[in-house]
Amino acid sequence: MLRSLYDWTMNLAAHRHAGLALFFIALIESSVFPIPPDILLIPMIIAAPTKAWRYALICLAGSVIGGMIGYGIGYFLFETVGQPVLELYGYAAKFDQFRDYYNEWGAWAVFIAGVTPFPYKVITILSGVTALDPVVFTIASICARGLRFFVIAALIWKFGPAIRDFIEKRLGLLFTIFVVVLIGGFAAVKLLPHG
């Protein structure tokens, strides 16, 4: 099933309505869809490098709006929609444990999930269930998803098709390394003596 979804998404990159498809994929990926929009974003930028920033912005807009839909699912429809989505992706068992610490670290959770391969839809739904401040959620979403999509756009725009395979194979690893370095930097600053 995932392979056919992947192939379908790749075929969309060549379509004349690819921008609309990108927006839609980014929107539903943030709330229920399993395929990340990066899969469509990368070939679209390779095909039209001059539109790299436009495509990244389309992806960002769709993802943030989709994140708000996921938040709404968690806030208003958790029992009927949110719980089954979490079960589908195998995160229902971890949900209660994760929920306990969520509001304290919610902005970081949204940011980290937004740039790493962790399923963003889990975080958007969880943010709604725990009633994370919607302003905090939205700002963290914009920062995280913007960073992710604009870094991909910049790399593809700069290096072209040569980097496509590298990114597709190591996307999760690249963003995970970035997040580890970022968190490590904040931890180091906290540990430095003040005064």
Side-chain angles (χ1 to χ4, degrees), residues 83-104:
Q83 186 75 30
V85 169
L86 292 177
E87 288 171 3
L88 176 68
Y89 293 106
Y91 286 97
K94 298 175 185 175
F95 181 75
D96 290 330
Q97 171 187 25
F98 203 61
R99 184 180 187 174
D100 292 341
Y101 302 101
Y102 194 76
N103 273 332
E104 183 179 350

Side-chain angles (χ1 to χ4, degrees), residues 9-21:
T9 306
M10 290 299 286
N11 289 332
L12 284 176
H15 197 273
R16 66 182 184 148
H17 296 297
L20 184 59

